[in-house]
Amino acid sequence: MRAFVSATFLCAITGLAALGMAGCSNTEEITPIQTSLDDPAAPPRQQPRGADERLSGGATTVFLTDETAFGQAAPNVMGASLAKHDAGDEAFAAEFAPRASAGHPGGLGPIFHNVSCESCHVGDGRGKPEMANGEMNALLLRLSTMGANEHGELNPVAGFGGQLQDQAVAGVAPEGKFTIAYSEVPGSFTDGTAYSLRAPRYNIHNTYLPLPGGVQVSPRMASPVFGLGLLEAIDEQTILAAADPNDRNNDGISGKANYVWDVKSQKIALGRFGWKANQPSLAQQNAAAFNGDMGVTSSLFPNESSAGQVQAIPAHAPEVNDETLNAVLHYTRTLGVPARRNITDPAVQRGKVVFDAAKCNACHTPSVRTGTLQGVPEVSNQNIFPYTDMLLHDMGEGLADNRPDFQANGREWRTTPLWGLGLTATVNKHTFLLHDGRARNVMEAILWHGGESQQSRDYVRRLPKADRDALLAFLGSL
Ligand code: HEC
Ligand code: HEC
Ligand SMILES: [Ca+2]
Ligand SMILES: [Ca+2]
Ligand SMILES: [Ca+2]
């Protein structure tokens, strides 16, 4: 489905240009801004001058606010590009089956998590810890044992590989099932208002083989998939310029890049996607999802995820062809980003000041200008507002999975983009947040922040209720 209102049209009706906010055309000018209010030594972040913060995705911004808000082709995607996006859309939604039949591409399994991309990335948004059918199939468990190979890739668990597939086709045993037990952790704001956070514990059971000892487990929720082409289009140097792995400026924030294995180029590459920036590109992320999450092989990952495990799979042709893979790639690159809402609301404006004062912006970098993504002019050279630096941060013991992932250690996670956050409830009918969906709402997500972000969390805990509400109003407008 297309967005109804184009960015240019929005500019025309709001007359932003007349107000001197040249946000309607992407300008080349940039002004350095301070990272934080009281730390002049912080590395300068580049904010595109005159970029209109309402247009979260630049010219890819869409203006729908209903449950289809995350699933729109960017309005500047047209012609052959749109046809390819639509083909990718179809494959993203298609329910795979073990054997192809009308409307169902074949290749599912033998072991898998779910039958389509969309069944986890509901409405191109996020899954939730437990789906309606009671299964955990939008939350997956990554597995590893100690040590890594020469590329930095973690050692798989014998008989289980790098992921616990909890579904299987008829006649095959799933690798195992798991349940989550939550314990409530009470706390309170400085003003005395009580809150409670829920800490998850995972219990893997019914495994088809005994699970060896010493297995490291990392739970991961299906994350939103819009705006990702823009994130892929950010120049590597732009991301690296904000990294400060040894915290040389002493602000307590030490963003670090992940370096991961790029299967196609057979080289180490900057990690961008996944909760620990564990995938270098959308092409590889998508093909890995087909393989690991659905049991569907491709030219990039020709071996079944069950190879050497459940049953011997004879060599076979890739189950999803390159044309479909390329269409899905284009789809995940060209979904538009929802526009900001209510930005003139006084609470939203107050909340933005609080967001900066709490130094949320030290990691959730509001804006950046994309570089060039070859073959995708729609996402290239855009002023965008993703609220992420794309870097890894130590988030403390509370959020730690204690499982490294390439250069990321067991406490580090990639700063989650916050664009579209306020539409989560509308699109996904829930507000479970963070890498494992443990936070039941935005405030709980903030209260889980520790490690490098402890100072931000403590700042929020000390705020009076009106300012906490303002912060939530601001985040709700993203
Ligand atoms: C079983 C549920 C599930 C299925 C099915 C699934 N995904 Fe995902 N997806 C996830 C999870 C979980 C993550 C986070 C992975 C990680 O951090 O390692 C993710 C991450 C992604 C990301 C990166 C998002 C980001 O912000 O970094 C993309 C892109 C993606 N998936 C695309 C796809 C495509 C395309 C398909 C279908 C071929 C698919 N997914 C199928 C669960 C799923
Ligand atoms: C040190 C860097 C850092 C700072 C500072 C920081 N965050 Fe985060 N934020 C992260 C990382 C990393 C995650 C992902 C953590 C996870 O999923 O376990 C995250 C996750 C979130 C999420 C959940 C998003 C989602 O989709 O699941 C919200 C909401 C959020 N942050 C808001 C804030 C606010 C508001 C502040 C300021 C009070 C803040 N953050 C300060 C790094 C930071
Ligand atoms: Ca298969
Ligand atoms: Ca497995
Ligand atoms: Ca620093």
Side-chain angles (χ1 to χ4, degrees):
M1 214 173 113
R2 305 297 320 283
F4 299 120
V5 188
S6 74
T8 333
F9 181 62
L10 180 88
C11 291
I13 56 174
T14 55
L16 289 173
L19 293 171
M21 295 168 67
C24 297
S25 60
N26 281 306
T27 72
E28 299 272 298
E29 297 160 300
I30 41 172
T31 335
I33 54 164
Q34 290 306 137
T35 302
S36 58
L37 301 178
D38 52 7
D39 183 5
R45 300 280 161 103
Q46 306 282 301
Q47 161 131 312
R49 179 185 296 160
D52 180 351
E53 64 175 328
R54 269 174 278 199
L55 304 181
S56 300
T60 75
T61 306
V62 298
F63 299 92
L64 290 182
T65 55
D66 63 15
E67 65 208 18
T68 67
F70 296 164
Q72 302 294 322
N76 60 348
V77 171
M78 288 175 277
S81 178
L82 182 59
K84 194 170 173 186
H85 172 101
D86 289 342
D89 193 357
E90 206 169 297
F92 195 86
E95 294 186 355
F96 282 63
R99 310 233 172 293
S101 64
H104 298 287
L108 180 74
I111 53 171
F112 60 98
H113 286 276
N114 221 327
V115 295
S116 67
C117 311
E118 180 97 33
S119 57
C120 285
H121 300 283
V122 179
D124 301 286
R126 66 184 80 217
K128 55 178 164 178
E130 272 177 86
M131 300 303 274
N133 60 5
E135 293 282 356
M136 307 289 176
N137 45 19
L139 176 73
L140 48 90
L141 301 185
R142 299 211 176 287
L143 307 174
S144 54
T145 49
M146 296 306 268
N149 69 13
E150 70 275 22
H151 309 141
E153 200 166 350
L154 298 183
N155 287 334
V157 177
F160 292 87
Q163 193 171 321
L164 182 84
Q165 280 85 2
D166 65 353
Q167 307 286 328
V169 299
V172 175
E175 288 185 328
K177 298 279 182 185
F178 67 97
T179 49
I180 315 175
Y182 292 105
S183 49
E184 294 289 331
V185 186
S188 59
F189 294 100
T190 308
D191 70 7
T193 311
Y195 58 75
S196 181
L197 304 177
R198 49 173 208 169
R201 248 181 337 136
Y202 296 87
N203 174 28
I204 300 178
H205 56 86
N206 287 56
T207 54
Y208 83 110
L209 290 176
L211 197 63
V215 172
Q216 299 168 312
V217 176
S218 179
R220 312 266 176 112
M221 280 298 311
S223 36
V225 291
F226 62 83
L228 301 181
L230 296 161
L231 300 183
E232 195 166 41
I234 301 172
D235 284 338
E236 190 160 329
Q237 307 87 281
T238 306
I239 296 174
L240 297 181
D244 183 19
N246 301 313
D247 192 17
R248 288 176 57 193
N249 69 348
N250 252 316
D251 65 350
I253 310 278
S254 58
K256 167 179 144 186
N258 202 353
Y259 284 97
V260 305
W261 185 244
D262 187 307
V263 175
K264 190 163 186 195
S265 67
Q266 292 284 302
K267 284 198 187 102
I268 301 286
L270 177 69
R272 289 177 192 251
F273 300 103
W275 288 98
K276 286 192 188 254
N278 42 302
Q279 291 287 359
S281 65
L282 287 171
Q284 185 168 320
Q285 166 70 61
N286 294 344
F290 267 118
N291 192 276
D293 303 348
M294 293 162 60
V296 176
T297 59
S298 60
S299 57
L300 200 57
F301 294 106
N303 297 320
E304 291 284 10
S305 58
S306 61
Q309 301 178 13
V310 178
Q311 57 183 33
I313 304 293
H316 63 299
E319 293 161 335
V320 63
N321 63 27
D322 285 351
E323 192 188 341
T324 304
L325 217 49
N326 283 330
V328 172
L329 172 60
H330 195 64
Y331 179 71
T332 53
R333 281 173 161 177
T334 51
L335 282 167
V337 180
R340 288 280 304 282
R341 299 154 312 287
N342 310 323
I343 64 163
T344 55
D345 180 321
V348 170
Q349 291 182 339
R350 173 75 198 148
K352 189 180 172 191
V353 174
V354 173
F355 185 83
D356 290 349
K359 297 190 183 165
C360 310
N361 60 358
C363 302
H364 296 284
T365 315
S367 66
V368 69
R369 184 170 172 82
T370 66
T372 304
L373 185 62
Q374 221 195 341
V376 196
E378 294 95 331
V379 299
S380 300
N381 306 308
Q382 297 296 321
N383 295 330
I384 61 171
F385 292 82
Y387 291 86
T388 175
D389 56 5
M390 300 292 282
L391 295 169
L392 299 170
H393 296 276
D394 182 326
M395 295 297 283
E397 209 44 58
L399 287 174
D401 63 355
N402 300 309
R403 176 186 181 268
D405 205 337
F406 293 96
Q407 304 300 307
N409 70 30
R411 296 159 60 105
E412 287 173 328
W413 301 96
R414 181 196 67 168
T415 308
T416 315
L418 298 180
W419 53 13
L421 184 67
L423 289 169
T424 302
T426 305
V427 176
N428 292 124
K429 323 289 183 221
H430 71 81
T431 53
F432 295 111
L433 300 174
L434 297 174
H435 66 271
D436 51 8
R438 70 174 70 184
R440 286 165 290 206
N441 54 51
V442 174
M443 187 51 85
E444 286 190 12
I446 296 170
L447 292 167
W448 273 110
H449 280 57
E452 293 171 41
S453 57
Q454 178 81 38
Q455 51 183 341
S456 295
R457 185 202 87 126
D458 290 346
Y459 184 93
V460 172
R461 272 189 70 232
R462 288 191 301 268
L463 287 174
K465 179 156 192 317
D467 280 347
R468 298 199 306 262
D469 290 347
L471 178 60
L472 293 178
F474 167 69
L475 294 168
S477 77
L478 297 179

